[in-house]
């Protein structure tokens, strides 16, 4: 969910919208990295991107596909389409919004509303997903990885991933007070707006 990292690894990528994957949960695997595992009672929220073949080859390398760190597969996710002003290359989004991990309130990137009770489902789309089937036992994230996840949480908040999901599912996994600080600051900003 870290836009600057996505723009670097996948320069052709275009942001499509929020994504919800039912029947899975996020966890930190024994290698210390995020993973998804099947769990009928859970959902995973994130961001969805359109990528080029060159982007996919780049991701394969970063995700360690040849080393069997992660396997890639297509899984149906629900996509909640981004507003037109956000449907563009990720590099342009990062540049336009001046994404800075020390700022919560950037100018152009406004959050999309989170799913609400009764909201019509998003569009079901077969999406490329990287997951480890070999490294599924729980582990702990290292400090550098925690900092990267914190930046991703900030970007995810800006683009409408639900605050509740980030607080309850992602925050505890990375044991990072900055994640909780960002979420509390975001909630205060929303409360002040009312």
């Amino acid at each position: 969910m870290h836009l600057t990292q996505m723009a670097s690894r996948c320069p052709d990528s275009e942001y499509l919208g929020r994504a919800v994957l039912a029947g899975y949960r996020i966890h930190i695997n024994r290698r210390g990295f995020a993973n998804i595992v099947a769990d009928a009672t859970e959902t995973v929220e994130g961001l969805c991107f359109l990528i080029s073949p060159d982007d996919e080859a780049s991701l394969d390398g970063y995700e360690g596909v040849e080393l069997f760190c992660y396997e890639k597969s297509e899984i149906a996710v629900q996509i909640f389409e981004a507003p037109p002003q956000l449907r563009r290359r990720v590099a342009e989004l990062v540049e336009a919004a001046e994404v800075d991990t020390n700022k919560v309130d950037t100018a152009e990137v406004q959050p999309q509303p989170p799913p609400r009770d009764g909201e019509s489902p998003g569009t079901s789309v077969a999406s490329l997903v990287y997951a480890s089937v070999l490294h599924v036992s729980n582990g702990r994230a290292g400090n550098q990885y925690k900092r990267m996840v914190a930046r991703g949480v900030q970007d995810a908040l800006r683009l409408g991933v639900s605050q509740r999901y980030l607080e309850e599912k992602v925050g505890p996994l990375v044991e990072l007070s900055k994640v909780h600080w960002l979420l509390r600051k975001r909630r205060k900003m929303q409360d002040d707006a009312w």
Side-chain angles (χ1 to χ4, degrees), residues 107-138:
E108 189 173 331
V109 179
Q110 297 298 317
Q112 300 172 55
R116 294 181 175 84
D117 291 337
E119 178 183 48
S120 60
T123 304
S124 182
V125 176
S127 296
L128 178 64
V129 175
Y130 291 85
S132 176
V133 295
L134 297 177
H135 308 286
V136 294
S137 57
N138 291 330

Side-chain angles (χ1 to χ4, degrees), residues 30-168:
R30 70 179 181 195
R31 293 180 53 248
F33 298 103
N35 192 28
I36 57 170
V37 292
D39 185 332
T41 66
E42 295 284 341
T43 59
V44 176
E45 293 186 34
L47 306 175
C48 190
F49 304 91
L50 179 65
I51 61 173
S52 70
D54 288 343
D55 288 341
E56 184 175 344
S58 174
L59 277 180
D60 288 353
Y62 280 106
E63 300 299 340
V65 171
E66 288 186 11
L67 302 173
F68 305 103
C69 296
Y70 288 92
E71 293 180 14
K72 60 182 184 176
S73 60
E74 285 192 3
I75 301 176
V77 299
Q78 297 294 314
I79 303 293
F80 296 86
E81 214 172 303
Q85 70 271 23
L86 296 179
R87 291 264 337 235
R88 52 187 163 156
R89 289 185 51 237
V90 176
E92 294 170 10
L93 260 182
V94 170
E95 186 176 312
E98 299 175 359
V99 176
D100 178 346
T101 59
N102 297 316
K103 297 179 185 174
V104 174
D105 53 339
T106 53
E108 189 173 331
V109 179
Q110 297 298 317
Q112 300 172 55
R116 294 181 175 84
D117 291 337
E119 178 183 48
S120 60
T123 304
S124 182
V125 176
S127 296
L128 178 64
V129 175
Y130 291 85
S132 176
V133 295
L134 297 177
H135 308 286
V136 294
S137 57
N138 291 330
R140 295 184 65 151
N143 289 334
Q144 183 176 356
Y145 191 71
K146 290 176 186 179
R147 286 189 292 276
M148 189 274 305
V149 170
R151 290 185 206 103
V153 164
Q154 184 172 336
D155 291 342
L157 277 170
R158 290 182 181 136
L159 295 173
V161 172
S162 75
Q163 182 169 330
R164 182 176 181 178
Y165 174 79
L166 294 167
E167 281 180 341
E168 294 177 4

